[in-house]
Amino acid sequence: MTTSFGAANKALLKDPKLQIPSFVHGGLLRPSSNSLALTTTTTTTRRRHTHLLSSSSSSSHVIRAVSTPARPNTATETKRSKVEIIKEQSNYIRYPLNEELLTDAPNINEAATQVIKFHGSYQQYNRDDRGARNYSFMLRTKNPCGKVSNRLYLTMDDLADQFGIGTLRLTTRQTFQLHGVLKKDLKTVMSTLIKNMGSTLGACGDLNRNVLAPAAPFTRKDYQFAQQTAENIAALLTPQSGFYYDVWVDGEQVMTAEPPEVVKARNDNSHGTNFPESAEPIYGTQFLPRKFKIAVTVPTDNSVDILTNDIGVVVVTDDEGEPQGFNIYVGGGMGRTHRLETTFPRLGEPLGFVPKEDILYAVKAIVVTQREHGRRDDRKYSRMKYLIDSWGIEKFKSVVEQYYGKKFESFRELPEWEFKSYLGWHEQGDGSLFCGLHVDNGRIKGKMKTTLREIIEKYDLSVRLTPNQNIILCDIRNSWKRPITTALAQAGLLHPRYVDPLNLTAMACPAFPLCPLAITEAERGIPDILKRVRATFEKVGLKYSESVVIRITGCPNGCARPYMAELGLVGDGPNSYQIWLGGNPNQTSLARTFMNKVKLQDLEKVLEPLFYHWKRRRQSKESFGDFTTRMGFEKLQELVDKWEGPVLAPSRYNLKLFADKETYEAVDQLAKLQNKNAHQLAMEVIRNFVASQQNGKGE
């Protein structure tokens, strides 16, 4: 199978300032009409054809991507990561997964483990178990904008019970994760998803991941336009070679109607972006160097953490609210490696403005620039943020413009960003309501799971998943509000006013027991950590209504975006965390490392003096993150080192929940069964009772 790479870099060659020396990686050079292709023979006698462009002369040993012709006499051995070789030999992400799925083993081999990521799955094992590994698979869905049909939600709910661990997990990229699927059940689960309007294609792997957009089902033009644009970008960058359907439904591809503008943009090769004879016109055989993340939103709405994405797209409207075009940010990304300062989280920066009809071409040009020039030798440095950091934004823009075929217009002025959670009841704008529900760490289980299914099934509701691991019930009639609210409250899904403010903005990744990258706890540890933070608030005199954005991850990869938090805890050892400070509530500021190797049991020694001095030294309405930035880490460290405990005036009130010892001991016994103390359980019961009374009054 020969893939001709055409003139994918022809536009670049027009500008002598941007010419980059070319090298090919080993093998036999064979000419095609416009390029030279590299032929590699695998053990299965399949022939692969690709070629590999090196970086600029300053780093000529770094592998790049797939296109520019090279002179035979300049061929040199260039380093590639192991994953690049696996992709090349995979027959467009089929082999060896297709063979490994046929074996009786409970797991798949290393190469297939890399390949199955492109299909939306990770191989895992329970790290709590001792002895032989108990393998299973996590499946992640692809849901642009977080949209989930009624049929798909009910299917996911069924699959979790039949083939998973009985829970659904909402992710920070508006998708589901289904844990615990056995290898023997993979094809059944995947085919069931596909036949019920679902997909996991591209939810993992070196390609465009799920495209974010505000989950709120508003009927406003700008929100509708942002969501449609996100769906179009997702369609544009969906793999075309059919590998997903070949593996899971024996090639029976589910046909979906694509907007003509998507098909036109994908097929357009007027600026050398495509591989004309390839089954993957945008991705080629090698796909992208690493994962690629895109978000679309409207001005002020930062529910999507817009600056953390490889590409951030913002709708720009005229004075009447009519969409005119888009501002584009580039170069955001969270992942890093501990104690390797050359890896880092990074915020996106402005690239420019494009008219609304050009957005697909501009996004494609950016993706192709990363495809051609992102590093392929060392995956720690393969994200687009490192390319932009190395080149600078002006050089990056110049190269993108060659593939785009136009100059970017000046970035339009935007208002301040705000974090929007969309929790509680809201008008959609079409006479219907939507209800945003807080889900601790995105884990739907137990009574909550049963009740959500009953409500979604009974009222035939569609849902949206949010980037903050929450869920929105859509298209609710006004007459349904009271019975739905009552049913939700009885399952512990309360109006946000009855949820601890710390919980409302907190996030954690799954970490132990299933994530192979976890160093310490995150999801299982955050409930206790939030209780300890609340107790510390009370000790230093902070009000219950006050909060800070807390995000916890079990490793430095940043899945829960801890580097944007006011207080980020990043696992750096067993029961040990780095402490990051300096993000803000609107997710526009990058946190920095404050302390390393803080043991779980010592958190209060750090947090107590920080919260105490925030309460006493903050400026009017100053958030905790902004306070830590203003004070500076040197001063904060001094306050921590000298801390001897708070000096508090005696309380004016002595409010007691329990009038007698017997009642206290009875409640305390019940509380221990739920990993709570008596006071916490009593407060929860009281809040639930108040909520049910309010609901009964038709709130």
Side-chain angles (χ1 to χ4, degrees):
M1 181 185 295
T2 301
T3 301
S4 172
F5 298 109
N9 260 5
K10 191 179 294 181
L12 264 180
L13 300 178
K14 295 176 183 176
D15 187 347
K17 296 178 182 177
L18 297 176
Q19 287 190 0
I20 298 173
S22 301
F23 300 87
V24 292
H25 172 73
L28 174 67
L29 290 167
R30 298 173 58 86
S32 66
S33 57
N34 295 308
S35 65
L36 294 171
L38 169 69
T39 301
T40 304
T41 304
T42 71
T43 56
T44 57
T45 72
R46 294 184 180 88
R47 294 194 302 169
R48 306 283 177 263
H49 301 270
T50 182
H51 50 264
L52 304 156
L53 177 66
S54 83
S55 68
S56 62
S57 56
S58 62
S59 54
S60 60
H61 298 294
V62 177
I63 196 67
R64 295 301 183 192
V66 213
S67 63
T68 305
R71 295 187 298 275
N73 292 338
T74 66
T76 185
E77 186 73 19
T78 311
K79 182 182 177 184
R80 288 191 292 170
S81 73
K82 184 164 37 177
V83 176
E84 288 299 312
I85 297 169
I86 290 171
K87 287 188 288 186
E88 179 188 343
Q89 297 175 352
S90 70
N91 185 22
Y92 291 103
I93 316 301
R94 293 172 174 86
Y95 176 82
L97 176 63
N98 51 356
E99 296 182 0
E100 285 290 300
L101 289 173
L102 300 177
T103 71
D104 293 330
N107 62 313
I108 56 179
N109 67 21
E110 182 181 358
T113 299
Q114 295 299 328
V115 168
I116 201 172
K117 292 178 183 179
F118 291 75
H119 296 253
S121 180
Y122 286 90
Q123 180 170 268
Q124 301 179 329
Y125 64 93
N126 192 323
R127 296 173 66 185
D128 284 347
D129 293 344
R130 296 295 176 261
R133 291 182 175 181
N134 294 314
Y135 286 99
S136 65
F137 291 80
M138 180 273 282
L139 274 58
R140 182 185 295 152
T141 59
K142 198 90 172 278
N143 309 93
C145 319
K147 290 184 178 180
V148 180
S149 68
N150 177 273
R151 177 178 168 186
L152 179 58
Y153 185 91
L154 298 178
T155 298
M156 292 298 300
D157 186 80
D158 286 337
L159 291 173
D161 290 339
Q162 294 171 21
F163 300 102
I165 59 174
T167 72
L168 286 171
R169 196 173 198 282
L170 314 180
T171 77
T172 58
R173 292 202 72 79
Q174 296 183 276
T175 66
F176 288 113
Q177 284 184 177
L178 183 64
H179 291 94
V181 179
L182 299 180
K183 177 185 163 185
K184 66 182 180 65
D185 297 324
L186 271 174
K187 194 162 186 176
T188 299
V189 174
M190 288 286 204
S191 61
T192 301
L193 268 173
I194 292 168
K195 292 172 183 176
N196 285 277
M197 306 170 66
S199 176
T200 63
L201 173 58
C204 320
D206 298 344
L207 70 176
N208 180 54
R209 302 289 186 89
N210 198 51
V211 181
L212 304 188
F218 291 133
T219 56
R220 276 172 39 182
K221 283 183 181 179
D222 53 351
Y223 275 85
Q224 294 284 312
F225 193 58
Q227 291 161 3
Q228 183 60 58
T229 300
E231 291 175 318
N232 286 350
I233 291 172
L236 172 73
L237 299 175
T238 295
Q240 299 296 298
S241 56
F243 62 82
Y244 183 67
Y245 302 99
D246 286 350
V247 171
W248 304 114
V249 288
D250 301 321
E252 181 189 344
Q253 188 159 351
V254 177
M255 299 304 294
T256 56
E258 288 186 324
E261 61 267 29
V262 172
V263 178
K264 183 180 178 183
R266 182 189 299 121
N267 294 337
D268 179 76
N269 196 30
S270 54
H271 301 289
T273 52
N274 287 22
F275 302 133
E277 298 173 23
S278 174
E280 292 290 352
I282 295 177
Y283 290 129
T285 60
Q286 300 304 111
F287 288 77
L288 298 180
R290 277 298 301 272
K291 67 180 78 170
F292 200 89
K293 298 181 177 182
I294 301 174
V296 184
T297 192
V298 301
T300 75
D301 188 335
N302 199 19
S303 59
V304 298
D305 263 354
I306 189 73
L307 300 179
T308 66
N309 291 271
D310 292 274
I311 302 177
V313 178
V314 186
V315 175
V316 176
T317 62
D318 61 19
D319 292 340
E320 283 72 47
E322 194 67 38
Q324 299 299 302
F326 301 89
N327 277 345
I328 298 178
Y329 294 95
V330 291
M334 292 285 96
R336 50 178 284 275
T337 301
H338 279 317
R339 287 166 285 283
L340 191 61
E341 297 303 314
T342 50
T343 66
F344 44 81
R346 189 180 192 276
L347 296 184
E349 57 185 307
L351 183 70
F353 170 90
V354 297
K356 62 183 179 181
E357 61 272 11
D358 285 352
I359 186 59
L360 296 180
Y361 300 89
V363 166
K364 183 179 173 183
I366 296 167
V367 169
V368 169
T369 300
Q370 163 66 353
R371 181 195 75 197
E372 294 297 307
H373 303 289
R375 286 181 61 171
R376 293 178 182 263
D377 64 320
D378 188 337
R379 291 175 66 80
K380 291 192 298 294
Y381 304 105
S382 293
R383 291 290 299 274
M384 193 172 76
K385 63 182 178 181
Y386 295 113
L387 178 64
I388 295 175
D389 190 73
S390 171
W391 276 7
I393 192 65
E394 290 305 318
K395 177 178 177 180
F396 182 81
K397 181 190 292 188
S398 296
V399 175
V400 172
E401 286 172 343
Q402 299 298 317
Y403 293 119
Y404 175 39
K406 298 180 181 181
K407 295 286 186 183
F408 287 100
E409 297 180 32
S410 298
F411 200 81
R412 302 298 195 258
E413 186 176 349
L414 293 173
E416 292 293 316
W417 292 106
E418 301 173 23
F419 169 73
K420 298 180 185 291
S421 70
Y422 298 114
L423 297 176
W425 289 93
H426 303 267
E427 297 277 353
Q428 291 183 178
D430 58 359
S432 295
L433 304 171
F434 71 86
C435 181
L437 302 171
H438 170 71
V439 180
D440 277 336
N441 306 308
R443 184 70 68 178
I444 297 177
K445 60 183 179 180
K447 176 67 172 173
M448 177 198 305
K449 181 173 177 293
T450 303
T451 300
L452 278 175
R453 186 200 172 92
E454 289 171 352
I455 291 171
I456 290 166
E457 191 167 28
K458 178 179 179 179
Y459 296 100
D460 194 28
L461 304 179
S462 62
V463 307
R464 304 278 180 95
L465 312 181
T466 82
N468 229 49
Q469 302 175 312
N470 296 321
I471 190 168
I472 293 175
L473 307 182
C474 306
D475 304 315
I476 300 172
R477 296 180 189 173
N478 277 277
S479 60
W480 300 343
K481 180 180 178 182
R482 182 182 295 183
I484 287 177
T485 303
T486 301
L488 291 171
Q490 290 170 349
L493 288 160
L494 304 176
H495 190 285
R497 74 164 61 100
Y498 303 117
V499 180
D500 190 321
L502 288 170
N503 291 61
L504 291 178
T505 56
M507 290 200 297
C509 69
F512 287 129
L514 293 176
C515 179
L517 302 176
I519 304 170
T520 193
E521 298 284 2
E523 180 184 344
R524 295 195 304 194
I526 196 173
D528 183 62
I529 289 173
L530 292 178
K531 291 171 189 171
R532 289 166 62 185
V533 170
R534 175 56 64 196
T536 304
F537 267 34
E538 293 174 358
K539 184 174 181 179
V540 302
L542 287 165
K543 296 177 182 176
Y544 179 81
S545 59
E546 297 187 274
S547 184
V548 299
V549 177
I550 299 173
R551 294 177 176 179
I552 303 177
T553 57
C555 82
N557 284 342
C559 293
R561 302 190 286 272
Y563 310 117
M564 302 298 289
E566 294 183 275
L567 171 60
L569 302 181
V570 178
D572 65 354
N575 294 314
S576 174
Y577 296 91
Q578 277 187 334
I579 294 183
W580 288 66
L581 302 174
N584 62 32
N586 295 330
Q587 311 305 310
T588 57
S589 178
L590 198 62
R592 294 183 296 127
T593 311
F594 176 58
M595 293 181 71
N596 293 298
K597 296 286 184 182
V598 177
K599 288 297 183 181
L600 181 62
Q601 65 268 24
D602 295 332
L603 283 178
E604 282 85 352
K605 295 178 183 178
V606 178
L607 300 183
E608 193 174 288
L610 295 178
F611 293 148
Y612 177 86
H613 289 287
W614 172 45
K615 182 181 188 303
R616 280 152 183 75
R617 301 188 182 195
R618 59 187 168 183
Q619 297 174 352
S620 177
K621 297 183 179 179
E622 186 175 39
S623 69
F624 177 70
D626 289 342
F627 164 78
T628 60
T629 299
R630 179 174 61 83
M631 291 292 289
F633 283 8
E634 187 176 343
K635 179 63 176 177
L636 294 177
Q637 187 66 61
E638 180 185 332
L639 295 175
V640 170
D641 292 342
K642 293 182 177 179
W643 182 246
E644 294 181 355
V647 179
L648 298 174
S651 175
R652 293 172 54 198
Y653 304 103
N654 184 22
L655 303 179
K656 291 185 178 180
L657 283 170
F658 303 102
D660 60 90
K661 184 179 179 182
E662 289 75 19
T663 303
Y664 169 80
E665 289 175 344
V667 174
D668 190 51
Q669 252 186 330
L670 290 171
K672 286 177 181 176
L673 297 175
Q674 302 180 38
N675 195 27
K676 299 172 182 173
N677 61 39
H679 183 274
Q680 289 165 339
L681 180 59
M683 289 301 297
E684 187 176 301
V685 171
I686 292 169
R687 289 192 187 112
N688 288 347
F689 175 76
V690 172
S692 65
Q693 294 301 302
Q694 293 284 352
N695 295 335
K697 295 176 182 177
E699 178 199 24

